[in-house]
Every structure is written in C-alpha cells, then in structure tokens.
Amino acid sequence: MAAERLQVSVAGVTGGWINLADAEREGLEKLERGPRDYFAGGAGDEVTLRENVAAWGHWRLRPRVLNDVREVSTRAEVLGKPVGLPVLVAPVAYQRMGHPEGERAMAAGAAAAGTVMCLSTLSTTRPTEVAAAAPEGRRWFQLYAFKDAGVTRALMEEAIEAGFEAVVVTADAPPGGNRERDRRNGFTLPAELGAPSLSAAVGSGKALTIEETFALMNHGLTWADVEGLASECSVPVLVKGILTPEDAGLALEHGAAGVVVSNHGGRQLDRSLATAEALPEIADTVAGRAALLVDGGIRRGIDVATALALGADAVLVGRPALWGLAAGGSAGVARVLELLREELELALGLLGCTGVSQLARGHVRRAPAASVYSL
Ligand SMILES: Cc1cc2nc3c(=O)[nH]c(=O)nc-3n(C[C@H](O)[C@H](O)[C@H](O)COP(=O)(O)O)c2cc1C
C-alpha cells in the first residue's frame, strides 16, 4: 500500500445527512453482516452498549440567557495543543473492513475536521502509512501490550517516530469481552486485510477470532507497567478504560498524563457503568490535574456539551466515525465530525457560552426520574 496523502472531498457523498443517525443508517447498510455486527455490537446482553447512549439523556441542561453569543467557537485544547472541536476519533480496530482506505481515510477525515485520530494497535494499516495520509493531522497511538514485548515496542516506536503525540494504554482489555454476535457469526478479520501487529505477533497472516486475538496479549499488566511506560516514553501516556475514581487516582499516581473514562463502547464487561454516570465523580478526583476524556454513546452535540460541563476536556467517538468511514470514506468521517461541531456550536450559543471553556457544572443537572415523564 502506498504511503501517500489522501485528499478529502466532501462533494456529494454525505450532503443529505442531518444528524448522526443518518450516517449510521447509510454506513451500516454498506456493510456485510460480519463486519456490521463486529462494528455495531457489544458484550453479553448489550446492556452497557445501550445505556452508554441513554445515560447522556439522563442529564438536563440549564441554559443561561442574554449573554452576547455573536461569536461562538468550538475550539479547545487537548494535552496543551489546539483542536477545532473537542471531539476526537477513538481507537477502533480493523478499519479497512469498513472502507478500502481504512485508517488512512479516518486520519484524513479527522485532520480535515481539525481533530486528533487515535490509531488502534489492531490497525489494518501501518502507523507510518496513516501518518503519511494526513501529515498535517494530529495522531495518538492506542496500545495493547502483546505477550511478545518486542512486537509491542516496535509498533510503539514506529508510531512515535512517525509523529504520534501520545500513547493511550487500554486497560479494560484483555481479556476480550463476550461478543456474542461475533461468536455466532464465526467472525474473523478477513485474512486478505491483515493487521500488521497481529501478523508480527503470530508470525503469519492467519485469520483470528476475537478470542484468539486477545489470547496474544499480556493479561498480566499492572499499574507498575503504566508507571514504567510513562517514565520511559518520550510522549505523554494516557490510560483508557477507567470507570472509577479509585483507578483514576491510581493512573495519576503512576504517571499518567490523562485518563479516558470508557467502558470500551460496551464491548467488554456488560452491565458496567455507563460513562455519563461514571464521569462526574472521576472529574472530581482528577480535578484538573491531568487530561480527562470520555467516550461511549456520544451521538449529539448536546452530549458533548454535557460531558464538558461535567468536567471532561474532550470526548471521543468510535462507532459514529466508523459509520462515516463506511458510508463515505474520509469525507464521511469529516462530515460526521462536522455535524457534531455544528451541533456543539449551536448548543454553546443556546447555553449562553461563547467557548467550550465556559461550560461548567452549573449548566447541567440530573433529569427528573424517568417515571415522571413518558419519554
Ligand atoms: C468496532 C470497534 C473496535 C474497537 N477497537 C478498539 C481498539 O482496538 N482499542 C481500544 O482501545 N478500543 C477499541 N474500541 C473502543 C473505542 O475506542 C471506544 O471506547 C468506543 O467505541 C466508544 O463508544 P462509541 O462507539 O459509542 O463512541 C473499539 C470500538 C469499536 C466499536
């Protein structure tokens, strides 16, 4: 595959989308059953998958009025550097299964929207090729540690060398969750796509199931490994998959530059807390001492505004970016992010804010018990 820049042309493909549900419909339609279920599914009974989305709706907004909102900006800072919107692209495995240009298109779409793409260890494209596709973009690298530490180190070094600005250690896997849709479908990554990390770990391009993939990883990681990585690494290290203030505190104690409140999009431990529920107490613990990000179920600009009001610096989106990718390659990704940007900008204005830094706890409160209204 050529290591070259990708052009993002939004013309045509995605013009009709009004919201992310439109992108979802179109993106999922394009996929065969195996990839569609892999991208859309969650663990077990998919309770957490559904609650991630629903839980943002359990917050209500408290708009302030008669502030001058002629100039509203969605610009923000993440790890001390600017982004056009506080919505990043979450690490998602196997993107060439969604679109032939895969991770390269995801990087180009994120760059066009002015935000960061976090590349998965289970990428179907090498980090250097992803960097070359969108040299002006910002990128982070998500890390799964293989049992073979040499594979992990080589991949991480390639990413840092190629300009990836942070390492995000995913702590809520392995083991892999109970993905029943994938087990029913006998899902494997098609052998012709291949993930460079897996080929290096297995020594061949064999098609692997989810269980076989996670069996290659080191199940013995501890906080000491995070501390070791944070002290050796030339870029900031974040820990992803935090759901309790206890673990957020440990992450900071062990040198993390930030945490990502996440339950892996409901794909790991079913019935774990929805991230909108977990966020407030974690924000109280982090208290501005490190970067605080959250993902899971973000589908609207008002979800982003709620997360920021609850204390997050930024959010990440996984599936919405995949829908855009599947429906329209880099243009689809850029359009999904632009829809969120437009919705966030409108939400800010209507909340009486001219910028994201003005969002505060006073802008949200718990919704009345659902039984009060029939929603
Ligand atoms: C198809 C798919 C693959 C994923 N692969 C990874 C991965 O390789 N590494 C990781 O840390 N998280 C992975 N995630 C989790 C995402 O990074 C993120 O936490 C989640 O998608 C957020 O929820 P959302 O999809 O509702 O936005 C994956 C999620 C999906 C949907």
Side-chain angles (χ1 to χ4, degrees):
M1 191 195 312
E4 61 192 26
R5 176 192 282 268
L6 268 189
Q7 299 301 329
V8 183
S9 158
V10 186
V13 243
T14 57
W17 297 349
I18 300 281
N19 58 33
L20 266 53
D22 294 335
E24 176 174 19
R25 211 171 305 113
E26 203 174 311
L28 294 183
E29 256 172 27
K30 294 235 163 119
L31 298 169
E32 303 283 331
R33 179 171 171 172
R36 186 174 65 230
D37 278 347
Y38 173 73
F39 286 152
D45 297 313
E46 302 188 335
V47 171
T48 299
L49 174 70
R50 290 188 295 276
E51 283 191 357
N52 267 350
V53 177
W56 294 110
H58 292 167
W59 292 95
R60 289 291 173 270
L61 298 166
R62 300 181 69 248
R64 302 298 309 277
V65 298
L66 295 177
N67 286 330
D68 177 349
V69 290
R70 281 173 297 179
E71 300 278 331
V72 176
S73 166
T74 60
R75 282 194 296 276
E77 276 205 354
V78 188
L79 291 182
K81 296 201 185 141
V83 280
L85 74 166
V87 180
L88 284 57
V89 174
V92 170
Y94 304 161
Q95 293 176 15
R96 281 202 293 131
M97 210 170 60
H99 187 277
E101 286 167 346
E103 289 84 3
R104 298 167 66 240
M106 193 69 100
T115 192
V116 175
M117 175 211 187
C118 187
L119 183 72
S120 168
T121 284
L122 299 179
S123 169
T124 45
T125 312
R126 297 211 72 87
T128 41
E129 289 168 337
V130 176
E136 72 286 13
R138 290 185 61 191
R139 286 168 301 280
W140 296 355
F141 182 70
Q142 177 267 327
L143 189 75
Y144 282 132
F146 286 96
K147 284 178 180 153
D148 181 342
V151 170
T152 315
R153 194 168 315 113
L155 202 62
M156 198 170 69
E157 280 170 6
E158 177 181 333
I160 293 173
E161 185 73 16
F164 287 61
E165 297 170 14
V167 169
V168 179
V169 179
T170 296
D172 57 11
N178 172 25
R179 319 267 176 86
E180 295 188 354
R181 296 199 212 191
D182 297 335
R183 289 169 57 200
R184 218 175 285 287
N185 293 338
F187 173 80
T188 57
L189 173 68
E192 68 275 14
L193 293 184
S197 61
L198 295 180
S199 307
V202 180
S204 77
K206 177 176 177 275
L208 302 173
T209 63
I210 304 292
E211 291 81 10
E212 288 167 336
T213 301
F214 281 108
L216 295 169
M217 291 167 189
N218 180 356
H219 293 222
L221 287 195
T222 67
W223 290 109
D225 296 298
V226 171
E227 184 156 340
L229 186 66
S231 66
E232 282 164 27
C233 217
S234 58
V235 297
V237 171
L238 290 85
V239 181
K240 173 173 181 278
I242 297 293
L243 284 178
T244 62
E246 298 91 305
D247 280 344
L250 284 168
L252 268 50
E253 268 173 43
H254 290 277
V259 297
V260 183
V261 177
S262 175
N263 52 38
H264 215 111
R267 299 164 73 81
Q268 286 296 97
L269 179 64
D270 195 26
R271 293 197 210 155
S272 54
L273 270 182
T275 48
E277 296 293 331
L279 176 61
E281 56 177 358
I282 295 176
D284 290 343
T285 295
V286 172
R289 290 182 291 149
L292 178 59
L293 293 99
V294 62
D295 72 21
I298 298 277
R299 304 292 181 260
R300 286 285 189 186
I302 47 176
D303 299 336
V304 183
T306 300
L308 269 49
L310 290 173
D313 298 313
V315 307
L316 301 94
V317 289
R319 294 181 185 84
L322 281 175
W323 304 329
L325 178 72
S330 56
V333 175
R335 180 66 184 139
V336 159
L337 293 167
E338 179 57 17
L339 281 168
L340 285 171
R341 204 199 60 73
E342 287 168 6
E343 288 188 7
L344 175 61
E345 186 177 273
L346 178 60
L348 284 170
L350 292 173
L351 282 162
C353 298
T354 55
V356 295
S357 63
Q358 292 168 10
L359 287 167
R361 281 281 168 98
H363 287 110
V364 288
R365 56 160 282 181
R366 285 262 173 212
S371 57
V372 176
Y373 305 124
S374 52
L375 295 173

